[in-house]
């Protein structure tokens, strides 16, 4: 094992400058803590607050409504948290999630864990029981008597920063810590719990003034020179992940100047155009066989890894993805390089991907590098013609989504975990990363069923979620979309079962398991909540249904009756499970 962690230099000139920068000493009118917290959040750039109300959070909820922050009342706290994640990525601003005590907090935790995994900036504001009532079985009591404090109310694996505000005097320091976290590159998920009586207490006649400024981690000149030397030895490949989304222009320039083959993680589809002659394919879950052909036939000496953890659904830790010599792994998190393939030589670079690529480009001048490109394997797309009879095949549906939605609109497309995710990754093609969102880390069902609202709202445009019937039944905010007339589209792959589970169990050798679901009519459900919808039962009906959905001004459901016998391209995932012992063979 030879993992080399390189010293880095942080650009500190724009870092937050402690108390002087954060706090304004000029007297102001008196505020309640709830009002002060909301004002601070607005100063931090928050535009949206999503949540579910309750008695204990009433003062904060009321203060949000009196502010410039747009408040959306959701039907479930997890849905609010998923929407907040996607609103952050669509706007590049922190988003607030608010809940009441007890189950309000625990309901939100799945979405907040997803926010941590996804690298979003989310501030969770919850209520807790006032100190005089603790230990007395207050309604939905939230205290050390009734709920574990470690992890939920303290900084750790769920929250980068968490605290309970027990006095208004603590507010300046709490605001400073949240501002520092938001000013760092990457994700930041904070939890501010405020007892009900503290929310209505007064603050001192001065409020924290928040100044946010980000400083990007930067590799040293010595590190850059070492990378140039290694990459100049012979041909190399570039493996990009979601963390490289801000450096699309520089990555393309680097690839074209060097002739490098480019592959991407499922979350990074579109960062490098998928129709580019140097694009080899998507790796991992739902990925392309062309990637393996490339690694077998033209295995590069080095692979430059940009902004991906190379986790299971990106690499499956497959030995075929190992370069002949080493990985050069760039990430803002110094703990990431070397973790996926610990036995492989890794040159670790702690840097922002965009800053690193700009520095690297100085050593690779533009000399029409496209002429150096060797013939690279490409993923093939088979032409599939619609049939008049039978249920809808998923690959036919995806081909039509490509034509009607991806190529003829500017809608953002996102897809749930499950077979819908595999089909979309494998068959849809994007030329820009802002058009596609998936979750292959935490991978919670319901993430994009509800997250689609946050994307459409924050991007002020159309957003389309491709989901399974199981996810749509598990977590739905159609009613919320109707309430605020958010122009979202749900395309439901309705096959009456958790089909990834059913197909996966068969692949793993397990029999006589039941993954079926009583088939629902999602159009009738949507219409019952005030949305529009259309049911698709044959392949000839797909195009007209999608065109109607994309033209709709409000929320719209396309309920597609899917042929469940079509096997999704999830073999890599199933093989990974077998290698981990999850098999009956």
């Amino acid at each position: 094992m030879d993992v080399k962690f390189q010293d880095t230099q942080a650009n500190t000139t724009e870092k937050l400058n402690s108390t002087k920068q954060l706090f304004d000493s000029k007297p102001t009118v008196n505020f309640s803590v709830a009002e002060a917290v909301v004002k601070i959040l607005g100063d931090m750039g928050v535009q949206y607050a999503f949540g579910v109300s309750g008695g204990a959070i009433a003062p904060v909820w009321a203060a949000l409504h009196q502010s410039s922050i747009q408040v959306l009342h959701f039907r479930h706290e997890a849905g609010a948290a998923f929407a907040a994640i996607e609103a952050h990525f669509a706007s590049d601003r922190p988003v607030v999630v608010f809940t009441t005590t007890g189950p309000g907090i625990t309901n939100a935790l799945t979405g907040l864990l997803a926010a941590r995994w996804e690298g979003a900036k989310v501030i969770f504001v919850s209520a807790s029981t006032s100190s005089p009532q603790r230990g007395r079985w207050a309604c939905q009591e939230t205290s050390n008597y009734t709920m574990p404090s470690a992890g939920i109310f303290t900084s750790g694996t769920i929250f980068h920063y968490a605290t309970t505000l027990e006095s208004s005097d603590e507010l300046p320091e709490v605001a400073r810590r949240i501002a520092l976290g938001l000013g760092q590159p990457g994700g930041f998920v904070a939890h501010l719990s405020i007892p009900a009586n503290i929310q209505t207490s007064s603050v001192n006649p001065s409020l924290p003034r928040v100044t946010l400024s980000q400083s990007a981690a930067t590799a040293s000149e010595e590190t850059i020179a070492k990378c140039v030397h290694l990459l100049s030895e012979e041909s190399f490949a570039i493996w990009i992940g979601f963390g490289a989304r801000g450096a699309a222009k520089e990555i393309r320039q680097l690839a074209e100047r060097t002739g490098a083959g480019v592959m991407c993680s499922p979350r990074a589809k579109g960062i490098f155009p998928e129709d580019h002659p140097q694009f080899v394919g998507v790796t991992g879950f739902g990925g392309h066989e062309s990637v393996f052909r490339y690694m077998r036939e033209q295995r590069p000496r080095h692979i430059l890894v940009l902004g991906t953890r190379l986790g299971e659904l990106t690499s499956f830790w497959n030995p075929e993805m190992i370069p002949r010599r080493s990985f050069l792994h760039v990430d803002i998190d110094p703990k990431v390089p070397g973790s996926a393939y610990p036995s492989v030589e890794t040159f670790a670079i702690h840097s922002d991907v965009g800053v690193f690529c700009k520095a690297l480009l100085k050593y690779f001048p533009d000399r029409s590098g496209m002429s150096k490109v060797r013939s690279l394997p490409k993923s093939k797309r088979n032409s599939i013609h619609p049939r008049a009879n039978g249920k809808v095949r998923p690959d036919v549906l995806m081909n039509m989504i490509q034509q009607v939605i991806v190529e003829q609109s500017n809608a953002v497309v996102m897809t749930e975990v499950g077979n819908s995710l595999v089909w979309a990754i494998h068959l849809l093609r994007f030329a820009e990363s802002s058009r596609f969102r998936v979750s292959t880390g935490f991978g919670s069902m319901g993430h994009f069923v509800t997250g689609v609202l946050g994307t459409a709202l924050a991007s002020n445009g159309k957003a389309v979620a491709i989901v399974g019937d199981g996810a749509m039944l598990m977590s739905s905010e159609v009613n919320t979309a109707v309430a605020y007339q958010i122009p979202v589209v749900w395309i439901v792959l309705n096959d009456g079962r958790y089909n990834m589970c059913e197909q996966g169990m068969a692949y793993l050798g397990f029999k006589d398991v039941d993954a079926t679901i009583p088939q629902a009519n999602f159009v009738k459900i949507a219409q019952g909540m005030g949305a529009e919808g259309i049911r698709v039962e044959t392949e000839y009906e797909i195009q007209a249904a999608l065109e109607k959905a994309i033209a709709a001004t409000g929320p719209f459901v396309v309920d597609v009756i899917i042929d469940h016998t079509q096997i999704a391209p999830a073999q890599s995932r199933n093989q990974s499970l077998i290698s981990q012992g999850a098999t009956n063979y």
Side-chain angles (χ1 to χ4, degrees):
M1 174 177 174
D2 185 10
V3 180
K4 304 174 183 176
F5 285 92
Q6 190 73 14
D7 291 336
T8 61
Q9 299 174 339
N11 179 1
T12 59
T13 58
E14 293 185 317
K15 279 194 172 181
L16 294 169
N17 193 19
S18 69
T19 307
K20 180 179 179 182
Q21 204 171 18
L22 288 168
F23 303 114
D24 189 351
S25 61
K26 294 181 180 179
T28 64
V29 297
N30 286 334
F31 286 87
S32 70
V33 166
E35 293 168 330
V37 167
V38 169
K39 185 178 186 303
I40 291 167
L41 293 173
D43 291 344
M44 290 178 177
V46 172
Q47 290 183 320
Y48 302 104
F50 306 149
V52 180
S53 60
I57 198 68
V60 168
W61 191 36
L64 284 166
H65 278 286
Q66 298 302 314
S67 72
S68 62
I69 297 172
Q70 186 174 350
V71 183
L72 276 76
H73 200 209
F74 275 66
R75 308 300 171 253
H76 194 277
E77 293 86 353
F82 290 135
I85 295 169
E86 299 313 314
H88 161 72
F89 286 123
S91 66
D92 200 29
R93 289 174 175 265
V95 181
V96 162
V97 175
F98 62 89
T99 74
T100 191
T101 50
I105 295 170
T106 56
N107 283 348
L109 287 178
T110 298
L112 294 166
L113 276 164
R116 178 75 180 253
W117 277 65
E118 291 293 312
K121 285 183 164 65
V122 174
I123 304 169
F124 178 41
V125 181
S126 73
S128 59
T129 302
S130 303
S131 56
Q133 283 74 48
R134 294 172 190 168
R136 301 172 60 192
W137 298 104
C139 179
Q140 297 178 337
E141 180 171 336
T142 300
S143 71
N144 286 333
Y145 292 97
T146 58
M147 293 179 67
S149 60
I152 300 178
F153 301 99
T154 58
S155 306
T157 54
I158 302 176
F159 300 104
H160 294 91
Y161 172 65
T163 190
T164 300
L165 190 70
E166 299 287 9
S167 167
S168 61
D169 294 337
E170 298 173 358
L171 190 54
E173 177 61 14
V174 169
R176 187 185 76 87
R177 288 176 181 255
I178 293 176
L180 285 167
L182 292 176
Q184 297 302 307
F188 179 72
V189 183
H191 181 194
L192 177 57
S193 177
I194 315 175
N197 63 325
I198 300 298
Q199 293 177 45
T200 53
S201 64
S202 297
V203 299
N204 292 327
S206 62
L207 280 177
R209 180 170 58 85
V210 179
T211 302
L212 294 179
S213 181
Q214 290 194 3
S215 58
T218 307
S220 66
E221 285 298 324
E222 181 182 358
T223 298
I224 297 296
K226 176 66 172 177
C227 291
V228 171
H229 171 73
L230 292 173
L231 297 179
S232 298
E233 290 179 344
E234 55 181 281
S235 64
F236 66 95
I238 302 174
W239 195 348
I240 56 178
F242 187 64
R245 63 194 181 280
K249 178 182 177 182
E250 291 79 12
I251 292 170
R252 181 167 181 167
Q253 289 176 343
L254 179 63
E256 292 180 348
R257 292 182 188 185
T258 61
V262 181
M263 48 197 175
C264 75
S265 73
R267 286 209 302 165
K269 282 171 67 72
I271 293 177
F272 193 85
E274 293 188 75
D275 59 357
H276 194 283
Q278 286 175 251
F279 185 70
V280 176
V282 180
T283 67
F285 194 50
H288 301 133
E289 173 60 27
S290 53
V291 171
F292 293 117
R293 281 191 280 119
Y294 170 68
M295 293 301 294
R296 294 173 193 135
E297 297 168 6
Q298 303 180 30
R299 186 179 298 270
R301 182 176 177 84
H302 302 288
I303 295 180
L304 177 61
V305 181
L306 302 175
T308 169
R309 302 182 187 98
L310 299 183
E312 181 176 6
L313 295 193
T314 292
S315 69
F316 290 115
W317 309 304
N318 192 320
E320 287 195 79
M321 298 304 299
I322 297 173
R324 286 187 285 117
R325 173 67 187 276
S326 69
F327 288 113
L328 284 71
H329 199 150
V330 183
D331 205 280
I332 58 172
D333 185 348
K335 298 186 295 296
V336 165
S339 60
Y341 290 94
S343 61
V344 179
E345 182 178 349
T346 300
F347 185 66
I349 304 103
H350 179 208
S351 176
D352 172 84
V353 172
V355 172
F356 172 82
C357 288
K358 287 178 182 178
L360 205 61
L361 282 169
K362 297 176 183 177
Y363 295 88
F364 292 98
D366 188 0
R367 294 173 180 165
S368 300
M370 290 290 292
S371 61
K372 304 177 184 177
V373 179
R374 293 180 291 174
S375 177
L376 298 172
K378 304 291 291 183
S379 61
K380 297 180 180 179
R381 300 190 65 184
N382 298 322
S383 296
I384 305 174
H385 300 288
R387 62 189 182 189
N389 301 313
K391 297 177 181 178
V392 175
R393 291 167 292 176
D395 47 1
V396 175
L397 174 62
M398 293 300 156
N399 284 345
M400 196 57 67
I401 290 173
Q402 178 75 34
Q403 294 176 38
V404 176
I405 296 176
V406 177
E407 297 175 5
Q408 298 179 25
S409 82
N410 60 358
V412 178
V413 178
M414 46 193 57
T415 181
E416 276 290 349
V417 294
N419 277 1
S420 55
L421 173 63
V422 191
W423 286 114
I425 290 171
H426 193 71
L427 294 176
L428 298 184
R429 300 289 188 272
F430 295 88
E432 51 186 311
S433 61
S434 60
R435 295 285 310 280
F436 186 64
R437 273 286 293 144
V438 296
S439 172
T440 54
F442 198 57
S444 174
M445 288 182 66
H447 183 134
F448 290 103
V449 171
T450 57
V452 66
L453 276 70
T455 295
L457 187 70
S459 64
N460 194 30
K462 201 85 170 183
V464 177
I466 305 170
V467 306
D469 52 344
M472 195 69 175
L473 287 167
M474 182 178 291
S475 181
S476 171
E477 295 285 348
V478 172
N479 188 268
T480 307
V482 170
Y484 301 101
Q485 279 302 288
I486 303 174
V488 297
V489 174
W490 292 271
I491 301 173
V492 185
L493 277 64
N494 189 349
D495 52 18
R497 65 203 65 236
Y498 293 107
N499 208 7
M500 170 165 277
C501 297
E502 183 172 277
Q503 293 178 358
M505 291 295 279
Y507 192 100
L508 298 175
F510 295 98
K511 300 179 180 179
D512 300 322
V513 296
D514 183 13
T516 59
I517 306 169
Q519 196 160 56
N521 188 317
F522 292 101
V523 173
K524 289 184 177 180
I525 294 171
Q527 290 173 339
M529 291 188 284
E532 294 185 76
I534 189 169
R535 199 165 222 217
V536 174
E537 296 181 329
T538 69
E539 292 174 356
Y540 281 125
E541 299 170 350
I542 300 172
Q543 182 173 349
L546 295 180
E547 289 173 347
K548 186 174 181 179
I550 209 70
T553 57
F556 197 100
V557 173
V558 181
D559 186 8
V560 186
I561 306 304
I562 292 292
D563 181 355
H564 75 274
T565 65
Q566 300 294 305
I567 304 299
Q571 294 89 343
S572 295
R573 166 64 173 162
N574 293 326
Q575 289 166 4
S576 177
L577 289 171
I578 290 173
S579 71
Q580 297 172 53
T583 178
N584 195 39
Y585 290 118

